[in-house]
Amino acid sequence: RLAKTGVVFYLDELKEVSEQTDDAVKYVCQHSVIGRVDIEQVLNPAAWSQRDTYLKARVRTLPEDTDAVEDVDEVPDWFPAAEAALEEALLRSFRTLVDLQEEVD
């Protein structure tokens, strides 16, 4: 199964680091999320089980929900700890999701 909504990544920086990995081809990148899309159709579904290519899809760009974003002048004292805890919980959930997807495949 594939999510109905995806994000659009913008590649900010790409570094080839093969020299640091005994000539194994490896890259380190920095990226930004610049938008969201609805996935309407996967154009190459056979690529789902392959690692030599990417899935290609027909998508529809979703408008930004600027009303949902509020400017915050002050960050409450409790926020950094709560943010770290939420990030860790999200990472655990994502790892569980990946494990479940591997079991289904």
Side-chain angles (χ1 to χ4, degrees):
R1 292 184 50 138
L2 183 65
K4 180 182 176 199
T5 303
V7 295
V8 178
F9 287 102
Y10 178 80
L11 185 60
D12 297 313
E13 184 178 353
L14 178 66
K15 292 181 185 176
E16 194 264 334
V17 293
S18 299
E19 296 171 355
Q20 301 166 13
T21 59
D22 296 325
D23 291 330
V25 177
K26 198 166 208 177
Y27 298 94
V28 174
C29 67
Q30 294 290 320
H31 64 271
S32 303
V33 175
I34 60 170
R36 296 180 312 130
V37 294
D38 268 344
I39 300 170
E40 295 181 342
Q41 179 184 9
V42 175
L43 301 175
N44 60 339
W48 184 265
S49 61
Q50 301 171 358
R51 290 200 165 276
D52 62 345
T53 188
Y54 295 97
L55 284 176
K56 298 175 184 173
R58 181 176 328 125
V59 300
R60 182 176 54 83
T61 303
L62 296 171
E64 283 190 43
D65 187 4
T66 54
D67 294 336
V69 178
E70 296 179 19
D71 289 333
V72 177
D73 293 330
E74 275 187 44
V75 175
D77 293 338
W78 53 264
F79 185 80
E83 181 181 35
L86 287 170
E87 182 177 355
E88 182 58 36
L90 178 61
L91 286 172
R92 281 194 309 272
S93 295
F94 181 72
R95 287 184 194 116
T96 300
L97 174 65
V98 170
D99 291 344
L100 290 171
Q101 286 178 331
E102 287 175 359
E103 286 178 20
V104 170
D105 291 340

XYZ file of all heavy atoms in Angstrom:
842
model
N 0.833 -1.185 0.000
C 0.000 0.000 0.000
C 0.869 1.236 0.000
O 1.960 1.236 0.540
C -0.889 -0.015 1.226
C -1.926 -1.100 1.177
C -2.849 -1.023 2.339
N -3.356 0.322 2.473
C -4.599 0.621 2.747
N -5.461 -0.326 2.901
N -4.990 1.858 2.877
N 0.337 2.280 -0.579
C 1.061 3.532 -0.700
C 0.182 4.639 -0.142
O -1.035 4.635 -0.331
C 1.377 3.792 -2.184
C 2.199 5.016 -2.522
C 3.619 4.888 -1.947
C 2.280 5.184 -4.035
N 0.800 5.577 0.545
C 0.050 6.701 1.087
C -0.602 7.496 -0.034
O -0.094 7.550 -1.155
C 0.974 7.606 1.894
N -1.719 8.121 0.270
C -2.424 8.935 -0.721
C -1.765 10.308 -0.880
O -1.800 10.905 -1.945
C -3.875 9.112 -0.292
C -4.677 9.941 -1.264
C -6.091 10.151 -0.801
C -6.775 11.061 -1.797
N -7.941 11.694 -1.291
N -1.167 10.799 0.188
C -0.541 12.117 0.172
C 0.953 11.957 0.378
O 1.396 11.153 1.187
C -1.128 13.007 1.288
O -2.543 13.099 1.107
C -0.531 14.406 1.256
N 1.724 12.731 -0.378
C 3.177 12.691 -0.255
C 3.738 14.089 -0.131
O 3.008 15.081 -0.231
N 5.030 14.161 0.097
C 5.694 15.455 0.185
C 6.653 15.615 -0.981
O 7.102 14.636 -1.577
C 6.458 15.623 1.522
C 5.496 15.641 2.694
C 7.506 14.550 1.701
N 6.949 16.854 -1.308
C 7.898 17.177 -2.364
C 9.189 17.629 -1.686
O 9.184 18.586 -0.911
C 7.368 18.302 -3.278
C 8.397 18.656 -4.340
C 6.044 17.898 -3.897
N 10.271 16.894 -1.956
C 11.575 17.234 -1.410
C 12.350 18.069 -2.413
O 12.306 17.802 -3.607
C 12.403 15.969 -1.129
C 11.939 15.188 0.050
C 11.188 14.044 -0.125
C 12.269 15.575 1.331
C 10.774 13.301 0.959
C 11.861 14.842 2.428
C 11.115 13.698 2.236
N 13.067 19.056 -1.912
C 13.991 19.843 -2.722
C 15.397 19.515 -2.229
O 15.684 19.592 -1.025
C 13.719 21.343 -2.579
C 14.689 22.189 -3.362
C 14.522 22.362 -4.723
C 15.777 22.784 -2.744
C 15.423 23.118 -5.456
C 16.682 23.542 -3.471
C 16.494 23.699 -4.825
O 17.397 24.450 -5.553
N 16.274 19.119 -3.130
C 17.640 18.771 -2.775
C 18.454 20.054 -2.632
O 18.766 20.727 -3.612
C 18.243 17.858 -3.840
C 19.626 17.311 -3.568
C 19.657 16.486 -2.284
C 20.097 16.485 -4.755
N 18.780 20.403 -1.388
C 19.535 21.621 -1.113
C 21.027 21.424 -1.352
O 21.710 22.318 -1.849
C 19.335 22.067 0.347
C 17.894 22.421 0.648
O 17.278 23.150 -0.150
O 17.382 21.969 1.685
N 21.542 20.246 -0.964
C 22.980 20.006 -1.064
C 23.224 18.509 -1.212
O 22.571 17.698 -0.564
C 23.670 20.515 0.205
C 25.161 20.404 0.192
C 25.784 20.966 1.469
O 25.087 21.555 2.302
O 26.997 20.788 1.611
N 24.184 18.155 -2.055
C 24.540 16.755 -2.270
C 26.058 16.636 -2.249
O 26.749 17.331 -2.987
C 23.996 16.268 -3.619
C 24.334 14.838 -4.008
C 23.659 13.851 -3.067
C 23.923 14.576 -5.446
N 26.566 15.767 -1.366
C 28.009 15.540 -1.273
C 28.286 14.070 -1.521
O 27.645 13.203 -0.943
C 28.529 15.900 0.118
C 28.489 17.359 0.440
C 29.052 17.596 1.826
C 28.904 19.057 2.215
N 29.348 19.296 3.593
N 29.250 13.807 -2.387
C 29.680 12.441 -2.645
C 30.800 12.147 -1.651
O 31.767 12.897 -1.556
C 30.164 12.343 -4.094
C 30.315 10.935 -4.592
C 31.736 10.446 -4.466
O 32.660 11.272 -4.468
O 31.903 9.236 -4.357
N 30.651 11.075 -0.852
C 31.596 10.788 0.227
C 32.239 9.411 0.092
O 32.579 8.774 1.077
C 30.918 10.938 1.615
C 30.542 12.370 1.884
C 29.726 10.016 1.735
N 32.435 8.961 -1.124
C 33.017 7.635 -1.366
C 34.408 7.501 -0.755
O 34.793 6.423 -0.308
C 33.087 7.347 -2.863
O 31.800 7.349 -3.425
N 35.182 8.578 -0.739
C 36.533 8.521 -0.175
C 36.510 8.121 1.290
O 37.442 7.491 1.791
C 37.212 9.888 -0.312
C 37.434 10.322 -1.738
C 37.895 11.765 -1.824
O 37.959 12.459 -0.792
O 38.186 12.209 -2.945
N 35.435 8.467 1.998
C 35.332 8.185 3.427
C 34.734 6.809 3.707
O 34.627 6.413 4.857
C 34.486 9.264 4.101
C 35.039 10.660 3.927
C 34.030 11.731 4.298
O 33.013 11.456 4.895
N 34.333 12.966 3.925
N 34.317 6.104 2.661
C 33.645 4.808 2.849
C 34.323 3.709 2.041
O 33.647 2.840 1.486
C 32.160 4.918 2.453
O 32.083 5.324 1.077
C 31.412 5.899 3.323
N 35.663 3.745 1.979
C 36.430 2.745 1.224
C 35.920 2.576 -0.200
O 35.740 1.466 -0.693
C 36.421 1.402 1.953
C 37.128 1.475 3.290
O 38.126 2.226 3.388
O 36.689 0.787 4.227
N 35.649 3.688 -0.853
C 35.200 3.738 -2.245
C 33.826 3.128 -2.503
O 33.458 2.883 -3.648
C 36.237 3.117 -3.185
C 37.488 3.979 -3.267
O 37.366 5.213 -3.118
O 38.577 3.420 -3.474
N 33.056 2.848 -1.443
C 31.652 2.461 -1.649
C 30.914 3.733 -2.040
O 31.079 4.777 -1.409
C 31.056 1.873 -0.378
N 30.124 3.680 -3.085
C 29.418 4.872 -3.545
C 28.420 5.279 -2.474
O 27.556 4.494 -2.073
C 28.702 4.615 -4.887
C 27.920 5.837 -5.305
C 29.712 4.225 -5.946
N 28.581 6.482 -1.971
C 27.720 6.957 -0.903
C 27.583 8.464 -1.003
O 28.535 9.156 -1.360
C 28.304 6.566 0.442
C 27.313 6.610 1.568
C 27.868 5.887 2.768
C 26.706 5.364 3.561
N 27.121 4.581 4.697
N 26.407 8.951 -0.662
C 26.126 10.379 -0.724
C 25.540 10.841 0.605
O 24.851 10.097 1.290
C 25.117 10.694 -1.835
C 25.621 10.320 -3.206
C 25.325 9.084 -3.764
C 26.398 11.200 -3.935
C 25.791 8.725 -5.019
C 26.875 10.859 -5.196
C 26.565 9.620 -5.729
O 27.035 9.291 -6.966
N 25.805 12.085 0.928
C 25.187 12.746 2.071
C 24.450 13.944 1.502
O 25.006 14.696 0.688
C 26.246 13.199 3.103
C 25.606 14.016 4.211
C 26.983 11.998 3.668
N 23.208 14.116 1.902
C 22.434 15.224 1.327
C 21.683 15.988 2.398
O 21.450 15.495 3.500
C 21.472 14.716 0.263
S 20.154 13.689 0.900
N 21.341 17.199 2.050
C 20.447 18.040 2.843
C 19.269 18.372 1.949
O 19.443 18.671 0.774
C 21.149 19.340 3.268
C 22.298 19.134 4.216
C 21.832 18.692 5.579
O 20.823 19.179 6.085
N 22.544 17.759 6.174
N 18.071 18.283 2.498
C 16.895 18.579 1.685
C 15.876 19.355 2.498
O 15.956 19.420 3.723
C 16.261 17.289 1.143
C 15.728 16.405 2.220
N 16.515 15.453 2.836
C 14.525 16.343 2.797
C 15.789 14.834 3.751
N 14.578 15.362 3.759
N 14.945 19.940 1.788
C 13.838 20.670 2.394
C 12.541 20.121 1.828
O 12.494 19.684 0.676
C 13.907 22.164 2.048
O 15.125 22.716 2.440
N 11.496 20.151 2.631
C 10.166 19.814 2.134
C 9.542 21.112 1.642
O 9.456 22.092 2.378
C 9.298 19.176 3.238
C 7.877 18.946 2.747
C 9.920 17.868 3.710
N 9.147 21.120 0.365
C 8.650 22.374 -0.216
C 7.183 22.312 -0.606
O 6.648 23.283 -1.127
C 9.497 22.803 -1.433
C 9.467 21.738 -2.527
C 10.918 23.113 -1.005
C 10.086 22.191 -3.837
N 6.525 21.186 -0.359
C 5.116 21.113 -0.698
C 4.541 19.735 -0.444
O 5.236 18.813 -0.029
N 3.239 19.621 -0.694
C 2.526 18.351 -0.542
C 1.775 18.058 -1.830
O 1.388 18.965 -2.559
C 1.505 18.432 0.596
C 2.112 18.649 1.953
C 1.060 18.733 3.058
N -0.021 19.631 2.714
C -1.327 19.327 2.794
N -1.716 18.163 3.227
N -2.242 20.204 2.454
N 1.581 16.750 -2.095
C 0.865 16.330 -3.294
C -0.081 15.184 -2.958
O 0.153 14.423 -2.022
C 1.834 15.871 -4.414
C 2.674 17.020 -4.932
C 2.715 14.725 -3.959
N -1.146 15.077 -3.728
C -1.987 13.886 -3.730
C -1.455 12.976 -4.825
O -1.228 13.415 -5.952
C -3.450 14.225 -4.033
C -4.268 14.487 -2.786
O -3.808 14.123 -1.682
O -5.373 15.042 -2.909
N -1.242 11.705 -4.488
C -0.758 10.745 -5.474
C -1.968 10.172 -6.195
O -2.802 9.500 -5.596
C 0.064 9.631 -4.792
C 1.260 10.262 -4.075
C 0.504 8.587 -5.817
C 2.006 9.316 -3.168
N -2.080 10.482 -7.483
C -3.240 10.046 -8.259
C -3.022 8.690 -8.911
O -3.943 7.887 -9.008
C -3.584 11.099 -9.316
C -4.034 12.405 -8.692
C -4.404 13.459 -9.711
O -4.005 13.346 -10.897
O -5.098 14.412 -9.320
N -1.781 8.402 -9.384
C -1.519 7.136 -10.050
C -0.026 6.859 -10.043
O 0.776 7.744 -10.315
C -2.013 7.180 -11.506
C -1.759 5.901 -12.268
C -2.161 6.009 -13.733
O -2.485 7.082 -14.226
N -2.123 4.891 -14.426
N 0.336 5.623 -9.723
C 1.728 5.197 -9.856
C 1.916 4.753 -11.301
O 1.169 3.918 -11.809
C 2.060 4.048 -8.880
C 3.469 3.529 -9.118
C 1.902 4.517 -7.437
N 2.907 5.346 -11.969
C 3.092 5.104 -13.394
C 3.941 3.865 -13.693
O 3.853 3.314 -14.791
C 3.726 6.337 -14.052
C 2.910 7.625 -13.903
C 3.687 8.802 -14.476
C 1.556 7.483 -14.576
N 4.731 3.436 -12.729
C 5.574 2.251 -12.935
C 5.469 1.307 -11.725
O 6.444 1.104 -11.005
C 7.022 2.646 -13.212
C 7.639 3.441 -12.074
O 6.946 4.032 -11.251
N 8.961 3.461 -12.018
N 4.310 0.719 -11.497
C 4.110 -0.098 -10.292
C 5.073 -1.273 -10.176
O 5.349 -1.744 -9.076
C 2.658 -0.559 -10.395
C 2.279 -0.371 -11.813
C 3.125 0.732 -12.353
N 5.621 -1.761 -11.276
C 6.576 -2.873 -11.209
C 7.842 -2.463 -10.457
O 8.554 -3.314 -9.920
C 6.924 -3.360 -12.606
N 8.130 -1.188 -10.395
C 9.327 -0.700 -9.715
C 9.195 -0.786 -8.192
O 10.173 -0.601 -7.479
C 9.608 0.744 -10.128
N 8.012 -1.082 -7.690
C 7.776 -1.151 -6.243
C 8.751 -2.114 -5.569
O 9.252 -1.841 -4.486
C 6.335 -1.569 -5.980
C 5.972 -1.587 -4.534
C 5.996 -2.663 -3.703
C 5.556 -0.484 -3.742
N 5.614 -2.296 -2.447
C 5.335 -0.962 -2.446
C 5.343 0.870 -4.013
C 4.909 -0.141 -1.400
C 4.916 1.674 -2.980
C 4.702 1.175 -1.691
N 9.039 -3.222 -6.201
C 9.897 -4.243 -5.584
C 11.351 -4.157 -6.035
O 12.152 -5.014 -5.687
C 9.347 -5.636 -5.910
O 9.344 -5.828 -7.310
N 11.702 -3.130 -6.793
C 13.065 -2.991 -7.290
C 13.797 -1.889 -6.547
O 13.183 -0.948 -6.056
C 13.057 -2.672 -8.788
C 12.358 -3.723 -9.615
C 12.174 -3.278 -11.057
O 12.523 -2.179 -11.434
N 11.599 -4.157 -11.854
N 15.096 -1.988 -6.480
C 15.898 -0.956 -5.824
C 16.721 -0.148 -6.820
O 17.466 0.744 -6.448
C 16.825 -1.581 -4.791
C 16.100 -2.110 -3.594
C 17.102 -2.223 -2.469
N 16.516 -2.393 -1.173
C 16.076 -1.403 -0.394
N 16.142 -0.168 -0.810
N 15.600 -1.642 0.791
N 16.618 -0.464 -8.115
C 17.454 0.219 -9.099
C 16.761 1.419 -9.738
O 17.314 2.047 -10.635
C 17.913 -0.760 -10.179
C 16.761 -1.361 -10.962
O 15.610 -1.259 -10.506
O 17.021 -1.952 -12.021
N 15.561 1.721 -9.281
C 14.838 2.878 -9.820
C 13.880 3.405 -8.766
O 13.726 2.825 -7.693
C 14.086 2.504 -11.118
O 13.569 3.711 -11.694
C 12.943 1.551 -10.842
N 13.227 4.503 -9.065
C 12.260 5.109 -8.166
C 10.855 4.888 -8.708
O 10.665 4.708 -9.908
C 12.498 6.626 -8.058
C 13.810 6.983 -7.418
C 14.918 7.282 -8.182
C 13.925 7.009 -6.035
C 16.128 7.609 -7.591
C 15.130 7.330 -5.433
C 16.223 7.631 -6.215
O 17.408 7.960 -5.628
N 9.880 4.936 -7.806
C 8.496 4.956 -8.269
C 8.242 6.297 -8.938
O 8.721 7.333 -8.484
C 7.531 4.798 -7.094
C 7.385 3.414 -6.500
C 6.465 3.470 -5.283
C 6.848 2.429 -7.514
N 7.481 6.265 -9.996
C 7.080 7.491 -10.678
C 5.570 7.586 -10.573
O 4.867 6.580 -10.684
C 7.519 7.463 -12.144
C 9.024 7.394 -12.284
C 9.448 7.253 -13.706
C 10.951 7.086 -13.774
N 11.396 6.793 -15.116
N 5.070 8.797 -10.378
C 3.642 8.945 -10.143
C 3.099 10.211 -10.793
O 3.825 11.185 -10.991
C 3.354 8.982 -8.645
N 1.814 10.152 -11.102
C 1.093 11.364 -11.499
C 0.521 11.920 -10.204
O -0.130 11.203 -9.438
C -0.034 11.042 -12.471
C -0.774 12.310 -12.895
C -1.852 12.102 -13.933
N -1.573 11.027 -14.857
C -2.406 9.999 -15.069
N -3.551 9.930 -14.448
N -2.102 9.046 -15.918
N 0.795 13.185 -9.941
C 0.379 13.799 -8.678
C -0.356 15.106 -8.932
O -0.276 15.682 -10.018
C 1.600 14.062 -7.763
C 2.322 12.761 -7.433
C 2.557 15.062 -8.386
N -1.055 15.541 -7.910
C -1.725 16.845 -7.938
C -1.200 17.643 -6.751
O -1.261 17.192 -5.607
C -3.243 16.671 -7.825
C -4.023 17.983 -7.887
C -5.524 17.737 -7.871
N -5.969 16.931 -6.753
C -6.215 17.388 -5.519
N -6.047 18.664 -5.250
N -6.632 16.578 -4.574
N -0.646 18.805 -7.031
C -0.100 19.659 -5.982
C -1.224 20.185 -5.107
O -2.251 20.659 -5.606
C 0.675 20.839 -6.599
O 1.706 20.317 -7.442
C 1.296 21.705 -5.523
N -1.035 20.087 -3.798
C -2.022 20.590 -2.848
C -1.683 22.027 -2.480
O -0.504 22.372 -2.347
C -2.035 19.725 -1.585
C -2.474 18.286 -1.799
C -2.248 17.467 -0.533
C -3.935 18.231 -2.207
N -2.700 22.843 -2.309
C -2.418 24.232 -1.920
C -1.894 24.280 -0.489
O -2.191 23.411 0.322
C -3.788 24.920 -2.027
C -4.771 23.812 -1.879
C -4.124 22.583 -2.432
N -1.094 25.291 -0.201
C -0.604 25.486 1.159
C -1.754 25.912 2.045
O -2.614 26.692 1.644
C 0.466 26.578 1.196
C 1.804 26.128 0.710
C 2.867 27.170 0.991
O 2.876 27.744 2.094
O 3.664 27.412 0.080
N -1.762 25.387 3.259
C -2.773 25.771 4.237
C -2.158 26.818 5.155
O -1.771 26.538 6.278
C -3.230 24.550 5.030
C -4.405 24.851 5.935
O -4.919 25.992 5.899
O -4.808 23.958 6.697
N -2.064 28.043 4.638
C -1.382 29.097 5.393
C -2.148 29.502 6.642
O -1.560 30.041 7.573
C -1.150 30.335 4.510
O -2.399 30.747 3.951
C -0.163 30.023 3.399
N -3.449 29.231 6.692
C -4.218 29.566 7.890
C -3.831 28.686 9.066
O -4.010 29.059 10.226
C -5.717 29.421 7.628
C -6.219 30.436 6.620
O -5.573 31.487 6.474
O -7.248 30.175 5.979
N -3.294 27.491 8.787
C -2.950 26.556 9.856
C -1.622 26.918 10.522
O -1.311 26.430 11.594
C -2.872 25.141 9.313
N -0.848 27.794 9.898
C 0.448 28.170 10.448
C 0.311 29.507 11.151
O -0.154 30.477 10.583
C 1.510 28.274 9.320
C 2.843 28.718 9.892
C 1.623 26.956 8.585
N 0.710 29.519 12.416
C 0.636 30.758 13.182
C 2.041 31.190 13.550
O 2.888 30.364 13.889
C -0.164 30.545 14.474
C -1.614 30.183 14.236
C -2.337 29.952 15.552
O -1.830 30.405 16.597
O -3.397 29.328 15.516
N 2.299 32.478 13.500
C 3.584 32.989 13.954
C 3.591 32.996 15.474
O 2.632 33.409 16.118
C 3.812 34.419 13.441
C 4.065 34.444 11.943
O 4.558 33.435 11.418
O 3.758 35.471 11.312
N 4.696 32.532 16.035
C 4.836 32.487 17.490
C 5.997 33.384 17.867
O 7.120 33.201 17.387
C 5.094 31.035 17.969
C 5.312 30.995 19.459
C 3.954 30.135 17.538
N 5.718 34.353 18.724
C 6.766 35.271 19.149
C 7.626 34.679 20.250
O 8.825 34.907 20.305
C 6.160 36.600 19.625
C 5.499 37.357 18.473
O 5.960 37.203 17.326
O 4.526 38.081 18.726
N 7.004 33.924 21.167
C 7.733 33.350 22.290
C 7.492 31.858 22.352
O 6.374 31.392 22.176
C 7.244 33.967 23.602
C 7.915 35.251 23.963
C 7.504 35.715 25.353
O 7.459 34.882 26.276
O 7.220 36.905 25.482
N 8.553 31.128 22.627
C 8.441 29.684 22.796
C 8.316 29.406 24.290
O 9.156 29.857 25.076
C 9.689 28.966 22.230
C 9.642 27.487 22.513
C 9.818 29.240 20.741
N 7.278 28.685 24.700
C 7.136 28.385 26.132
C 8.318 27.561 26.648
O 8.960 26.825 25.894
C 5.845 27.555 26.197
C 5.179 27.727 24.879
C 6.208 28.143 23.897
N 8.620 27.661 27.930
C 9.753 26.957 28.534
C 9.667 25.443 28.352
O 10.677 24.774 28.207
C 9.838 27.266 30.040
C 10.194 28.720 30.298
O 10.764 29.363 29.398
O 9.891 29.204 31.402
N 8.471 24.908 28.364
C 8.296 23.453 28.287
C 8.434 22.918 26.865
O 8.582 21.730 26.651
C 6.926 23.041 28.826
C 5.790 23.780 28.173
C 5.177 24.897 28.641
C 5.159 23.474 26.920
N 4.209 25.322 27.760
C 4.172 24.456 26.695
C 5.337 22.468 25.968
C 3.359 24.464 25.561
C 4.530 22.478 24.849
C 3.554 23.464 24.651
N 8.435 23.800 25.874
C 8.377 23.356 24.483
C 9.557 22.496 24.033
O 9.358 21.462 23.408
C 8.201 24.552 23.543
C 8.011 24.144 22.109
C 6.777 23.708 21.669
C 9.071 24.161 21.217
C 6.591 23.306 20.356
C 8.890 23.764 19.901
C 7.653 23.338 19.483
N 10.824 22.872 24.307
C 11.935 22.037 23.811
C 11.865 20.586 24.287
O 12.096 19.664 23.513
C 13.181 22.751 24.338
C 12.758 24.178 24.485
C 11.321 24.106 24.933
N 11.523 20.361 25.547
C 11.431 18.990 26.062
C 10.269 18.248 25.399
O 10.399 17.078 25.018
C 11.252 19.006 27.579
N 9.153 18.914 25.237
C 7.995 18.277 24.593
C 8.294 17.983 23.136
O 7.940 16.919 22.619
C 6.764 19.178 24.718
N 8.975 18.895 22.472
C 9.322 18.694 21.070
C 10.241 17.486 20.914
O 10.048 16.648 20.036
C 9.997 19.945 20.514
C 10.381 19.832 19.056
C 11.071 21.077 18.527
O 11.826 21.726 19.287
O 10.871 21.398 17.351
N 11.231 17.361 21.796
C 12.152 16.224 21.730
C 11.415 14.912 21.976
O 11.661 13.922 21.288
C 13.275 16.412 22.748
N 10.512 14.890 22.942
C 9.749 13.678 23.239
C 8.850 13.301 22.062
O 8.738 12.127 21.704
C 8.922 13.872 24.506
N 8.209 14.284 21.459
C 7.350 14.017 20.305
C 8.159 13.520 19.120
O 7.737 12.621 18.401
C 6.566 15.280 19.922
C 5.440 15.664 20.872
C 4.914 17.045 20.507
C 4.335 14.636 20.832
N 9.335 14.094 18.913
C 10.181 13.659 17.810
C 10.605 12.202 18.001
O 10.578 11.407 17.067
C 11.410 14.554 17.694
C 12.300 14.189 16.531
C 13.481 15.130 16.368
O 13.569 16.138 17.095
O 14.324 14.851 15.509
N 10.978 11.848 19.223
C 11.375 10.463 19.500
C 10.201 9.510 19.296
O 10.352 8.434 18.707
C 11.920 10.335 20.930
C 12.391 8.950 21.267
C 13.472 8.419 20.338
O 14.328 9.201 19.895
O 13.462 7.204 20.058
N 9.013 9.899 19.742
C 7.827 9.058 19.544
C 7.516 8.907 18.060
O 7.154 7.816 17.599
C 6.635 9.660 20.287
N 7.676 9.970 17.299
C 7.440 9.915 15.861
C 8.441 8.975 15.189
O 8.065 8.171 14.332
C 7.532 11.318 15.259
C 7.343 11.419 13.755
C 5.964 10.928 13.346
C 7.542 12.845 13.285
N 9.696 9.062 15.576
C 10.711 8.171 15.003
C 10.401 6.713 15.324
O 10.538 5.838 14.462
C 12.098 8.544 15.518
C 12.699 9.813 14.918
C 13.986 10.188 15.652
C 12.961 9.640 13.443
N 9.973 6.421 16.564
C 9.608 5.044 16.919
C 8.431 4.577 16.070
O 8.425 3.444 15.568
C 9.255 4.947 18.403
C 10.462 4.903 19.315
C 10.109 4.474 20.733
N 9.010 5.204 21.326
C 9.137 6.352 22.001
N 10.326 6.888 22.174
N 8.084 6.951 22.509
N 7.429 5.441 15.894
C 6.269 5.084 15.078
C 6.664 4.838 13.633
O 6.187 3.898 12.996
C 5.207 6.193 15.132
O 4.701 6.311 16.422
N 7.554 5.665 13.112
C 8.000 5.503 11.726
C 8.755 4.189 11.560
O 8.546 3.460 10.590
C 8.867 6.690 11.298
C 9.328 6.593 9.879
C 8.437 6.793 8.837
C 10.643 6.286 9.577
C 8.850 6.696 7.515
C 11.061 6.189 8.265
C 10.163 6.388 7.237
N 9.630 3.859 12.516
C 10.365 2.588 12.450
C 9.393 1.404 12.475
O 9.580 0.426 11.748
C 11.362 2.497 13.595
C 12.560 3.397 13.417
C 13.585 3.204 14.527
N 14.527 4.288 14.511
C 14.676 5.174 15.495
N 13.953 5.079 16.589
N 15.550 6.139 15.384
N 8.373 1.499 13.321
C 7.365 0.442 13.384
C 6.641 0.319 12.055
O 6.407 -0.785 11.558
C 6.357 0.728 14.517
O 7.062 0.791 15.751
C 5.274 -0.344 14.582
N 6.301 1.446 11.447
C 5.630 1.446 10.151
C 6.501 0.788 9.093
O 6.030 -0.054 8.326
C 5.283 2.876 9.726
C 4.715 3.054 8.327
C 3.365 2.358 8.219
C 4.597 4.517 7.981
N 7.773 1.132 9.061
C 8.683 0.527 8.087
C 8.768 -0.980 8.308
O 8.717 -1.769 7.368
C 10.077 1.182 8.156
C 11.112 0.419 7.349
C 9.990 2.633 7.675
N 8.878 -1.407 9.569
C 8.936 -2.842 9.873
C 7.666 -3.551 9.405
O 7.732 -4.639 8.824
C 9.120 -3.071 11.375
C 10.503 -2.652 11.864
O 11.416 -2.472 11.026
O 10.651 -2.495 13.094
N 6.512 -2.936 9.633
C 5.243 -3.537 9.207
C 5.162 -3.620 7.693
O 4.669 -4.613 7.138
C 4.065 -2.753 9.778
C 3.856 -2.867 11.274
C 2.802 -1.868 11.748
C 3.450 -4.286 11.657
N 5.641 -2.578 7.001
C 5.620 -2.614 5.535
C 6.506 -3.716 5.012
O 6.161 -4.395 4.042
C 6.059 -1.258 4.966
C 5.017 -0.194 5.108
C 5.480 1.150 4.580
O 6.660 1.452 4.598
N 4.556 1.954 4.122
N 7.655 -3.959 5.648
C 8.539 -5.025 5.230
C 7.896 -6.388 5.451
O 8.052 -7.297 4.638
C 9.869 -4.940 5.966
C 10.725 -3.796 5.492
C 12.011 -3.630 6.298
O 12.233 -4.411 7.247
O 12.793 -2.738 5.962
N 7.129 -6.546 6.547
C 6.425 -7.810 6.795
C 5.380 -8.068 5.734
O 5.195 -9.203 5.304
C 5.754 -7.775 8.167
C 6.716 -7.903 9.314
C 5.996 -7.809 10.660
O 4.767 -8.032 10.707
O 6.673 -7.512 11.654
N 4.691 -7.026 5.272
C 3.646 -7.178 4.267
C 4.261 -7.548 2.929
O 3.708 -8.360 2.177
C 2.813 -5.878 4.125
C 1.901 -5.936 2.943
C 2.018 -5.636 5.411
N 5.415 -6.976 2.613
C 6.072 -7.269 1.333
C 6.562 -8.688 1.354
O 6.604 -9.435 0.510
C 7.239 -6.319 1.066
C 6.739 -4.908 0.797
O 5.566 -4.735 0.458
O 7.559 -3.981 0.933
